[in-house]
Amino acid sequence: MSTSMTPPASPMPPETLPGEATRPPVTAAPRGEAQSPLEDSSRRTRWLVTLLIVVALLWTLVPLVWMLMSSFKNAEAVTAATPQFFFSPTLDNYRNLFSGANNLGPYIVHSVLAAGISALLAVGLGALAGYGLARTHMRGKKHLAFWIISTRMAPIAAVVVPLFLIFRGLGLIDSIPGLILAYLTFNLPFAIWLMSAFFAEVPSSLEESALVAGCSRWQAFWMVILPLTKSGLVTTFILCLVFAWNDYAFAVVFSGPSSQTLPIAASQLVTQTGIDWGQLTAIGTIVVVPMMLAGLAVRRWLVTGLTLGAITGE
Amino acid sequence: MSRVLYDEATRVYPGTERPAVDALDLDIHDGEFLVLVGPSGCGKSTSLRMLAGLERVDGGRIAIGDRDVTHLAPRDRDIAMVFQNYALYPHMSVADNMGFALRVMKAPKEEIDRRVKEAAGLLDLTEFLDRKPKALSGGQRQRVAMGRAIVREPKVFLMDEPLSNLDAKLRVQTRTQIAALQRRLGVTTVYVTHDQVEAMTMGDRVAVLKDGVLQQVDTPLRLYQHPANVFVAGFIGSPSMNLAEYPVEGDEAVLDDTRVRLSRETIQALKEEGGDRVILGFRPEGVEVVGEGTPGSFPVTVTVVEELGSDAFLYGQYADTTDPVRLGQTVIARVDPNMPPAKGERVRLRILPGKERLFSVVSGRRLPA
């Protein structure tokens, strides 16, 4: 499922690449006049940047487009020795996915529940903990922050076995709550860390002003601070959602028949008797498209969120 | 409207030895405009934040009216605060910003509208009520911050350097507006600034702080004329008071080739602390340029003359001095703007009778004249 790992990159619109966005417009020297070395080099830089963008776009989009096209091809066209760009589209692959004994419906439900709920929980708890972390003056705060994010740095493989033992003891194997908890173990530290960076950007005089105006701590947080970190909340939610939605490693270990997610369904199409490329690309499309749409829908916040800052309006 | 009382109020930040605010005693009358002034790090902002409840009080107590608020949450103190960066809520319109406190109190909507409109009218903000703070100029934002405090109708206004983000001209304008507004509303106000001109022009009384310790609290004029110690003398007034150390011989301070007679009380006080030197201070307007040979005068070499139109100030060095303490020290004197001395010229200055202020070298306190 290598294609399902690409959505985080695709919502980033090409025009926001840092090198391009901040560059002043380059005015070309009139023809025939000698160009100064400075203009010459800035022109060269612009070409280089354009070239890099084109390469990055091709790198990102070609597999996606190919997957999308293949999902509408019949079996012959998918596996044809010469790649086919023109073909009569068919919905057969999708129809097959949603019919028969191995209906894709429940997998989608499991994925939506596990990824959605775990991302919501991660953002909610991450916001609370991140706010506390951003505002506390305790000693060793930086170390604590680093420790929290460092738990996210461990490879998934390293935690799968201990988690499996714990989950088995708690009866959480093959359950949606189990998956949610598994995703939370990875997403929560990340959410705390990211949200605390957003809260640190909000001047503390804003909540002090709210406290003096008659707010309780909670009211100040809810009415003043939280609305100001909207882009942070959206960014964190999307990044957590993408992680959980794309996950295969946790799902393959912790889920069973009643909790299997989309990536598992995709892997089941790879059998010893053969690979159904048509259906596989159709699942790939079903996995990738929602994340792309979500990314595009919140693009405005995502871009300000990923760059941090400019949230106080000062 | 209420009296505010600091009673030995102390704040020690964790991990520091010296208190940020050290046993502050301050009695602010009902309706008074009190200014806390001092150099950065003197504890003036901390004192204000203690009153707001944003800073813990580690010792002593603070009262607003008859109520001890030492350990009350900020929201239970019935105060309104204007912050240095205004702390306007960027996601709310001007009207919502101004009505925020009332909304939190769950006041009826019509009442909020009425009070917001009233305050907006008072501050020339009516046409901006629907705007977001981002779309306002610095001066307008400042007025919104003021409006937010006014709408609240609190017992006390707290203002933490509310003018320091404005440009110089606007600052002077707004300064008088705030002072006038405060007198009109009659609400007790505690105002923090590092700018002594602001303090002098706005406050009914001014409290001067240094290193967390209250130096003196008095009316601007009395602070200017009767500073309690060397620090206040040097801090209040612009250009500042000339302060220099002179040896004492008999009952006279020796100003190089001339002498200033000290009163019996001064000599007595000097004797008690066993000093043979005295700090003599005089304001730039407390001296006059006199002719050669005038008794009690001392020579000064002019280095710079500042001509302001209505005034002219001479900046010079003590000429002929042999005292290492005074070598290189600057003397500032107000001179006739119509015929100021030239740069490099040598003039004689004489302290006008009764204009000298004497301070102890040991304690810095003013000596009885």
Side-chain angles (χ1 to χ4, degrees):
Chain A
M1 283 309 290
S2 69
T3 50
S4 70
M5 299 307 282
T6 45
S10 46
M12 284 288 285
E15 68 264 24
T16 58
L17 286 178
E20 187 68 9
T22 55
R23 272 164 49 75
V26 180
T27 44
R31 193 172 296 182
E33 278 178 37
Q35 283 184 358
S36 75
L38 197 71
E39 280 174 9
D40 208 33
S41 80
S42 73
R43 173 173 288 219
R44 216 177 305 141
T45 321
R46 190 168 62 156
W47 274 109
L48 204 67
V49 169
T50 313
L51 188 72
L52 279 174
I53 292 172
V54 169
V55 170
L57 271 180
L58 287 176
W59 178 268
T60 312
L61 290 181
V62 165
L64 287 175
V65 172
W66 195 250
M67 178 182 71
L68 191 70
M69 279 168 63
S70 300
S71 72
F72 291 106
K73 289 177 184 173
N74 58 33
E76 278 168 38
V78 172
T79 51
T82 37
Q84 294 190 351
F85 290 96
F86 303 100
F87 55 93
S88 49
T90 166
L91 284 174
D92 280 356
N93 291 323
Y94 292 93
R95 220 169 277 138
N96 289 338
L97 279 178
F98 287 97
S99 62
N102 212 6
N103 191 333
L104 198 64
Y107 292 93
I108 295 180
V109 173
H110 298 156
S111 264
V112 168
L113 285 178
I117 295 177
S118 78
L120 277 178
L121 280 174
V123 170
L125 298 173
L128 291 174
Y131 178 61
L133 192 63
R135 286 299 186 249
T136 182
H137 295 295
M138 69 178 189
R139 224 178 301 165
K141 167 177 158 175
K142 285 212 174 104
H143 299 296
L144 180 67
F146 182 76
W147 174 73
I148 289 174
I149 192 62
S150 71
T151 60
R152 175 69 161 79
M153 292 174 185
I156 293 180
V159 297
V160 157
V161 172
L163 269 187
F164 181 81
L165 295 175
I166 296 171
F167 280 17
R168 197 177 52 186
L170 295 171
L172 285 171
I173 300 296
D174 187 16
S175 72
I176 298 291
L179 273 186
I180 291 173
L181 210 57
Y183 295 146
L184 212 49
T185 57
F186 262 61
N187 274 338
L188 188 55
F190 177 65
I192 293 174
W193 196 70
L194 199 58
M195 283 315 297
S196 107
F198 278 101
F199 289 126
E201 289 266 303
V202 180
S204 44
S205 62
L206 282 177
E207 72 217 56
E208 288 174 351
S209 168
L211 289 176
V212 171
C215 287
S216 63
R217 271 254 162 219
W218 175 254
Q219 281 175 314
F221 177 67
W222 188 253
M223 295 170 79
V224 173
I225 305 302
L226 216 48
L228 290 178
T229 45
K230 207 185 294 169
S231 64
L233 294 170
V234 170
T235 307
T236 309
F237 178 76
I238 290 288
L239 292 176
C240 289
L241 186 71
V242 166
F243 170 81
W245 180 263
N246 289 342
D247 165 74
Y248 176 77
F250 279 126
V252 79
V253 179
F254 297 140
S255 65
S258 60
S259 60
Q260 277 165 343
T261 56
L262 278 173
I264 302 297
S267 74
Q268 285 167 350
L269 291 173
V270 182
T271 61
Q272 285 187 331
T273 52
I275 300 172
D276 189 333
W277 284 107
Q279 289 193 33
L280 197 55
T281 52
I283 286 197
T285 306
I286 291 172
V287 170
V288 170
V289 166
M291 288 302 110
M292 275 178 83
L293 292 180
L296 283 174
V298 299
R299 193 179 69 172
R300 191 165 63 89
W301 287 304
L302 207 55
V303 173
T304 47
L306 288 171
T307 52
L308 273 174
I311 46 176
T312 58
E314 279 292 315
Chain B
M1 275 186 275
S2 272
R3 167 189 185 208
V4 172
L5 187 76
Y6 285 87
D7 181 11
E8 305 256 301
T10 301
R11 171 69 175 139
V12 187
Y13 284 115
T16 58
E17 296 270 310
R18 197 172 57 78
V21 175
D22 197 351
L24 177 64
D25 273 320
L26 207 49
D27 188 352
I28 303 160
H29 311 153
D30 188 6
E32 187 177 25
F33 195 123
L34 182 110
V35 179
L36 291 171
V37 70
S40 65
C42 71
K44 55 190 189 297
S45 275
T46 307
S47 306
L48 190 76
R49 292 169 58 83
M50 286 158 78
L51 176 57
L54 297 171
E55 205 70 67
R56 250 181 51 190
V57 180
D58 297 311
R61 56 179 210 108
I62 296 176
I64 298 175
D66 301 326
R67 213 152 57 112
D68 186 325
V69 299
T70 314
H71 300 295
L72 282 187
R75 63 172 179 157
D76 298 321
R77 298 187 179 208
D78 198 4
I79 50 174
M81 186 158 171
V82 180
F83 291 81
Q84 182 172 5
N85 64 358
Y86 315 139
L88 301 180
Y89 312 127
H91 58 302
M92 295 182 199
S93 67
V94 167
D96 286 344
N97 260 287
M98 287 169 67
F100 182 76
L102 298 182
R103 225 153 11 108
V104 173
M105 277 186 246
K106 302 221 155 59
K109 212 184 158 309
E110 308 81 61
E111 158 113 8
I112 300 178
D113 277 354
R114 185 180 58 75
R115 276 159 76 171
V116 166
K117 288 218 176 83
E118 225 174 79
L122 203 64
L123 292 160
D124 261 338
L125 287 169
T126 311
E127 54 183 311
F128 306 116
L129 281 177
D130 294 329
R131 288 213 198 155
K132 291 272 173 68
K134 215 187 337 189
L136 299 179
S137 71
Q140 289 160 348
R141 286 182 200 180
Q142 204 283 330
R143 296 212 300 277
V144 175
M146 288 295 300
R148 198 166 59 177
I150 292 172
V151 166
R152 178 85 203 270
E153 294 179 9
K155 284 208 181 94
V156 187
F157 283 141
L158 277 57
M159 303 193 190
D160 191 359
E161 309 223 13
L163 302 182
S164 59
N165 282 356
L166 300 179
D167 65 62
K169 200 174 165 193
L170 200 54
R171 201 179 312 161
V172 173
Q173 268 176 28
T174 316
R175 185 165 91 192
T176 44
Q177 282 166 4
I178 291 182
L181 192 67
Q182 192 273 340
R183 265 150 215 145
R184 192 162 141 196
L185 299 171
V187 178
T188 313
T189 302
V190 185
Y191 184 107
V192 164
T193 180
H194 65 270
D195 180 351
Q196 58 92 18
V197 178
E198 226 169 274
M200 298 288 283
T201 50
M202 299 179 82
D204 291 325
R205 280 192 307 157
V206 177
V208 184
L209 277 93
K210 183 196 169 214
D211 298 337
V213 179
L214 179 64
Q215 305 291 312
Q216 188 177 2
V217 53
D218 218 325
T219 62
L221 194 63
R222 283 191 54 81
L223 273 187
Y224 187 80
Q225 292 180 336
H226 306 284
N229 57 37
V230 172
F231 176 76
V232 176
F235 190 78
I236 297 291
S238 173
S240 50
M241 183 187 271
N242 298 290
L243 290 160
E245 232 181 273
Y246 298 93
V248 176
E249 279 171 17
D251 59 352
E252 291 174 320
V254 183
L255 279 69
D256 302 319
D257 57 355
T258 181
R259 281 154 193 264
V260 172
R261 179 171 285 269
L262 305 176
S263 73
R264 224 181 14 206
E265 287 82 1
T266 310
I267 296 296
Q268 183 61 33
L270 274 176
K271 246 186 213 146
E272 273 165 26
E273 60 176 36
D276 59 351
R277 291 175 81 83
V278 69
I279 295 174
L280 193 149
F282 54 92
R283 297 269 176 209
E285 68 275 18
V287 284
E288 58 180 349
V289 180
V290 293
E292 200 71 41
T294 310
S297 68
F298 54 95
V300 166
T301 311
V302 180
T303 48
V304 176
V305 177
E306 265 183 12
E307 293 183 71
L308 305 172
S310 62
D311 274 320
F313 289 100
L314 166 167
Y315 290 72
Q317 310 258 306
Y318 291 96
D320 301 349
T321 185
T322 49
D323 192 334
V325 182
R326 262 184 337 281
L327 267 176
Q329 252 193 9
T330 303
V331 186
I332 309 169
R334 194 170 74 185
V335 292
D336 185 351
N338 297 315
M339 37 176 198
K343 200 171 140 184
E345 202 179 318
R346 190 183 143 114
V347 296
R348 287 194 81 85
L349 298 177
R350 189 180 65 139
I351 302 171
L352 294 166
K355 292 295 184 188
E356 71 277 351
R357 298 285 174 266
L358 298 161
F359 303 94
S360 152
V361 176
V362 182
S363 65
R365 274 208 297 275
R366 196 180 64 219
L367 297 169

